[in-house]
Every structure is written in C-alpha cells, then in structure tokens.
Amino acid sequence: MKVLKIAAAVEAATVCLLFANLLTVHWAPVSSVLGPTHGTAYLVTIVTVVTSAGASPRAKVLSFVPAVGGYLALRRMSARDPSEAAR
C-alpha cells in the first residue's frame, strides 16, 4: 500500500504541475521532466493495483482513471480493509 500511496501522490502532483506549466510559461524542459515522471507514476499505480491481492475489480478499473485513479483505488481498497481504515 505504501508504493501505491507514493505513486498516487506523484501522479496527482505531476499532472497538476504539468497543467500549471502549460497554462503559464510552458517551458519545454519542465514538460520533458514531468511528462515521463507522470507517465511512470501512472503505470506504477495501475500495475500496483492490478497485481494487488486485496484489490476489488472496481478498484482495478478505477486505477485506470488518469490523475486521480490511484487515490480512487486506494480509497476503495482501504474501505474494504478494516485494519487499513483505522489508520
């Protein structure tokens, strides 16, 4: 779950920074760094959820939602695991 939390945070943060860069100065080097970082975090999120034993089919589908899919899947998985919901 820790990998999923980190990947979801990186995915959400990088997409926000990519949009901020696009709407303001649109520096190519920023996009060149953040784009692959976001893509990697997105793929790590999907692979982590899909290969997780405790993930429901709905959580697996939610992981494919760009930008917030990791958080949606994490929330769904935490709701199913009572020991994780207490944290």
Side-chain angles (χ1 to χ4, degrees):
M1 289 289 258
K2 187 173 184 174
V3 171
L4 180 56
K5 288 179 182 179
I6 293 169
V10 170
E11 180 188 5
T14 53
V15 79
C16 289
L17 292 171
L18 279 166
F19 279 126
N21 181 46
L22 180 66
L23 296 173
T24 57
V25 293
H26 196 40
W27 287 334
V30 172
S31 298
S32 295
V33 171
L34 291 178
T37 304
H38 171 71
T40 302
Y42 179 60
L43 292 175
V44 167
T45 299
I46 292 170
V47 169
T48 303
V49 174
V50 170
T51 61
S52 175
S56 67
R58 184 165 173 89
K60 292 177 182 180
V61 170
L62 287 172
S63 70
F64 283 90
V65 176
V68 294
Y71 281 125
L72 295 174
L74 186 62
R75 183 175 172 193
R76 181 75 176 180
M77 290 169 63
S78 294
R80 291 190 60 162
D81 184 9
S83 65
E84 190 68 29
R87 293 182 193 177

